[in-house]
Amino acid sequence: MDLYPQTPVPSEASDFSDEFKTIDGGDWENGAIASRPARLYPKYSASLIYSERDFSEFYALYEFFMSQRGRSGRFAFADFNGHDASPVGIAWPKLLVGVGTGAQTAWDLPMMNSSGYDTGASGGDPGYGIFVDGTRRARGTGATEYAFASGTGANGRDKVTFVTAPTAGQIIEWRATGRRVVQARFVVDKATFQSFTNMITKTGLQVEEVRW
Amino acid sequence: MTYSIANNANDQVVKTFLLVQIDFEETVYWTDCDIPIVTTGGEGDAPAARWEPTGIKVSGITTRQSDSNLASIEIQNADNFMSAIMFSTSSPVGARARVYEAWFDPTKTSAIPDDTKLLLDGLCGGPELSRSGDTATATLRALRGLLGSRVIPRRKVVDLCMFDFKGSVGCQYAGAATECDRTKATCTSLGNQARFGGFPWNNGA
């Protein structure tokens, strides 16, 4: 899978969103509104605006759009927020890594340039790191339950390898500071060069997560 | 009603998703959840399986006390998976389809549901491939139960009766007995065999 071009860099902070879905039981006359979640994890999307770039940089993005054949292509997209910060990226809430199979020990994380997952003593801040069914796994003194490898996953994603594979049905989540990575696609099929230029300079070039 | 459903039936935080099992040449296990759901066979009616997310919509399902009906199962076909099935030598018509509802307690942290409930067990009717605009879907039309030719209305194919004892729908027994072991023999001894809710010929029972 291709990685979305890392250069040029959007000139403004990426406007990203996370969208849930909710099933409603109706809006009733007495004011009662019942609802329940239809999605456990949100769908990520981003709008990217580039400005004051030369033609060759625009053309690189246009060429990438063409290579993906519009919406049909799937690529890895790394959120640009905090890309030049130190530490790199921003702090994210728990992100879905996957659902255990009972056999798979190595998992690519939905993040690159991860940091802050094991700061502090004895395995780090309990609010950050990798969680299996909501329980944080240790990666510190005397209790190493997983190994972390920076940038060794697909498309430069970070990777963890568990000592013992999470059992089937266990939900694996990752919380850290870094650049969030999702499998994504463009949201439009059509882009003349002029409209494409308008999109990336004014209205925003939009991508959305495609999880499966 | 199982413990989980009884305790969370009115809870807006409880999460429920559909599980769809269809016996094509190879059985598929799909869910409308956004992550895979894993069942071990011990969470109610659903068998042990890993239910993979896919674009699927179950519509027109109606559940009553004693039976359920389903109008259609719509499945994404952008990957031509369903096309391959429909164009194969074995038609999906007549393939057994089961729809379950998976219940997750509000505090649940894993992808293993607390309960699963069989909503419908039937046979696929006429399939239909559609390419409407830029959307490619396959629809398995009304399960045969709607046509009245064959339906397994929310009853497992087991020899024991699945009706609630003395329930107003199904059993309707109004005699003095206080217990029933759900066998055909006991039902007969109670004089209620006309409303027996099992399949006594199953397993030769």
Side-chain angles (χ1 to χ4, degrees), chain A residues 23-48:
Chain A
I23 296 173
D24 275 329
D27 188 353
W28 298 90
E29 292 179 0
N30 64 355
I33 298 177
S35 59
R36 60 182 168 84
R39 194 179 288 171
L40 298 178
Y41 292 89
K43 187 173 83 171
Y44 170 96
S45 62
S47 181
L48 310 165

Side-chain angles (χ1 to χ4, degrees), chain A residues 23 33-42 71 96 98-101 107 133-134 168-171 189 211-212, chain B residues 11-17 32-38 40 50 52-54 101 104 108-112 134:
Chain A
I23 296 173
I33 298 177
S35 59
R36 60 182 168 84
R39 194 179 288 171
L40 298 178
Y41 292 89
R71 291 190 300 155
L96 176 69
V99 175
T101 64
W107 295 80
D133 274 0
Q170 287 189 312
I171 294 177
D189 274 332
R211 192 171 297 155
W212 307 106
Chain B
D11 195 330
Q12 293 180 39
V13 184
V14 71
K15 299 178 283 288
T16 61
F17 299 97
D32 66 350
C33 184
D34 59 326
I35 67 171
I37 288 178
V38 175
T40 65
R50 183 179 175 97
E52 297 292 344
T54 193
E101 190 163 53
F104 290 83
K108 194 72 176 178
T109 56
S110 82
I112 301 175
D134 57 0

Side-chain angles (χ1 to χ4, degrees), chain A:
Chain A
M1 189 187 303
D2 295 328
L3 178 65
Y4 182 87
Q6 298 301 287
T7 56
V9 172
S11 50
E12 302 172 20
S14 303
D15 179 17
F16 70 86
S17 65
D18 281 302
E19 182 181 6
F20 287 96
K21 283 284 186 184
T22 299
I23 296 173
D24 275 329
D27 188 353
W28 298 90
E29 292 179 0
N30 64 355
I33 298 177
S35 59
R36 60 182 168 84
R39 194 179 288 171
L40 298 178
Y41 292 89
K43 187 173 83 171
Y44 170 96
S45 62
S47 181
L48 310 165
I49 295 179
Y50 302 75
S51 59
E52 298 176 4
R53 302 291 173 182
D54 61 33
F55 177 81
S56 64
E57 290 179 315
F58 282 158
Y59 191 80
L61 291 171
Y62 185 65
E63 198 168 37
F64 182 74
F65 175 82
M66 296 294 279
S67 74
Q68 298 300 313
R69 294 183 172 85
R71 291 190 300 155
S72 67
R74 303 284 187 271
F75 52 84
F77 177 82
D79 187 274
F80 284 95
N81 285 287
H83 69 93
D84 55 354
S86 181
V88 173
I90 61 176
W92 295 94
K94 287 179 183 174
L95 304 175
L96 176 69
V97 176
V99 175
T101 64
Q104 185 176 347
T105 56
W107 295 80
D108 286 352
L109 296 174
M111 192 173 287
M112 58 172 56
N113 304 114
S114 299
S115 65
Y117 51 88
D118 63 352
T119 55
S122 300
D125 187 329
Y128 288 83
I130 199 143
F131 297 80
V132 177
D133 274 0
T135 301
R136 185 175 183 274
R137 291 296 175 90
R139 196 188 81 92
T141 307
T144 299
E145 295 180 277
Y146 71 96
F148 173 86
S150 179
T152 60
N155 300 115
R157 292 158 63 185
D158 299 330
K159 185 176 186 176
V160 296
T161 302
F162 290 96
V163 174
T164 303
T167 58
Q170 287 189 312
I171 294 177
I172 307 163
E173 298 171 306
W174 176 249
R175 185 181 180 206
T177 294
R179 294 183 63 193
R180 179 178 177 179
V181 181
V182 297
Q183 177 177 266
R185 69 172 187 172
F186 290 109
V187 301
V188 293
D189 274 332
K190 181 180 179 181
T192 62
F193 189 76
Q194 187 174 15
S195 67
F196 190 79
T197 305
N198 187 51
M199 256 193 295
I200 63 178
T201 57
K202 295 176 182 173
T203 59
L205 181 60
Q206 295 180 35
V207 298
E208 66 178 0
E209 180 179 7
V210 183
R211 192 171 297 155
W212 307 106

